[in-house]
Amino acid sequence: MAPPAPARAVFGNGTAHSRDQHRCLEAAYDPVTLPRLAATGVGPGWHCLEIGAGGGSIARWLAQRVAPGGSVLATDRDPRDLVPGPQLAVAALDVARDPLPEAAYDLIVARLVLQHVPTRAAVLPRLVRALRPGGLLQIDEIDASYEPPLLTPDAAAEELYLRFLRAKSAAMRAAGGDPHWGRAVPAALRAAGLTAVDVHLHIGVRHAQDPGLGLQSNHTRNLRDRLVEQGMTDEELDRVRQLMRDPGFRAASSVFYSVQGRRPGGEGR
């Protein structure tokens, strides 16, 4: 029996919205993701795989670290926003459907990808098998169950922001995603057979100059059709954007989990 057709991606690539989303993601989360990767000791000769590489900032950073002798493969279901370079190859890959080589990588990283994959529980063991013995897997994900507004002009504005958050979470779930999956990642990595599971958490304050809030604003446009399906109107989305531009607005970010685990066997790098 043929595998089921892939679900329509929540976020597409190759658009003005996708490029803005990549910019906001990199500004918001690279300061957390890259130091975590640096702590693995990734360096010359390492072979690395990124799942769902988006705009490519992580892959480019890794490519600089693994020279000479190493390699980075940056993959995405739609890799049109990725550019190959020295030590950096690009490939189309649907991690839910496409095969991965066995025991091929010293390091695999996936940021804000698997929460969107309905079969994530089946994908994780495949990622583990793609690691060399002693290799490392880093999964960075969010838990969007906690991101309350803290300062808003009035109660109506607070409720509007909460309505937007609820609609976005509902849209993710309708597409088979789990916007709260970040909290489940440590146990999921252990269940997949990884050892030395290490968990770091990050939470910040959203404000008008914060790229994390810029990402939220991007989603009012990038996910417009899905948000309307969840009952929001264009007028409400416009008011949410205005609220996010208010210099007095403050909200807690979602909780960002950066979780690493090691495949047993070997000595690692």
Side-chain angles (χ1 to χ4, degrees):
M1 179 181 295
R8 179 168 62 105
V10 174
F11 297 107
N13 285 339
T15 70
H17 292 324
S18 72
R19 288 187 287 272
D20 180 64
Q21 170 164 303
H22 297 326
R23 178 185 61 80
C24 291
L25 276 171
E26 292 165 7
Y29 296 123
D30 279 7
V32 182
T33 297
L34 299 186
R36 289 281 285 158
L37 290 172
T40 69
V42 58
W46 282 45
H47 297 283
C48 306
L49 170 67
E50 185 180 5
I51 301 295
S57 66
I58 296 172
R60 291 191 297 272
W61 182 89
L62 287 170
Q64 293 177 340
R65 303 276 298 210
V66 301
S71 66
V72 178
L73 177 61
T75 69
D76 204 287
R77 281 178 56 164
D78 179 352
R80 73 181 75 183
D81 291 335
L82 296 169
V83 178
Q87 288 80 49
L88 175 57
V90 169
L93 177 81
D94 182 346
V95 71
R97 295 166 56 87
D98 296 334
L100 292 169
E102 300 272 332
Y105 300 104
D106 302 296
L107 173 66
I108 299 175
V109 57
R111 180 172 72 184
L112 300 175
V113 175
L114 295 184
Q115 65 167 275
H116 300 296
V117 179
T119 57
R120 64 189 72 86
V123 168
L124 275 175
R126 292 175 51 233
L127 294 179
V128 172
R129 291 194 297 272
L131 288 169
R132 292 174 173 169
L136 286 160
L137 175 64
Q138 178 169 318
I139 303 291
D140 288 0
E141 285 288 355
I142 63 168
D143 174 2
S145 65
Y146 179 83
E147 43 186 353
L150 304 174
L151 290 173
T152 62
D154 50 46
E158 177 176 339
E159 176 53 33
L160 177 66
Y161 185 73
L162 289 170
R163 177 169 162 74
F164 161 68
L165 295 179
R166 290 193 295 267
K168 193 171 79 160
S169 287
M172 299 295 182
R173 292 193 183 281
D178 181 358
H180 301 172
W181 189 62
R183 70 176 77 171
V185 173
L189 264 58
R190 184 176 62 186
L194 296 182
T195 60
V197 175
D198 181 60
V199 185
H200 281 211
L201 307 182
H202 174 78
I203 187 167
V205 177
R206 290 174 174 159
H207 53 82
Q209 282 73 49
D210 171 49
L213 192 61
L215 187 63
Q216 294 283 70
S217 183
N218 170 280
H219 290 169
T220 65
R221 294 185 171 89
N222 208 351
L223 299 177
R224 182 264 176 193
D225 292 349
R226 293 180 184 268
L227 294 170
V228 169
E229 288 173 1
Q230 298 302 322
M232 296 208 75
T233 67
D234 286 320
E235 188 271 337
E236 287 174 324
L237 293 174
D238 184 63
R239 285 196 286 123
V240 169
R241 286 189 289 270
Q242 292 179 32
L243 175 62
M244 293 180 189
R245 292 193 294 268
D246 184 335
F249 176 80
R250 296 291 186 275
S253 75
S254 52
V255 183
F256 186 81
Y257 289 76
S258 182
V259 189
Q260 295 175 352
R262 186 178 297 277
R263 181 176 181 178
E267 299 299 325
R269 281 281 185 169

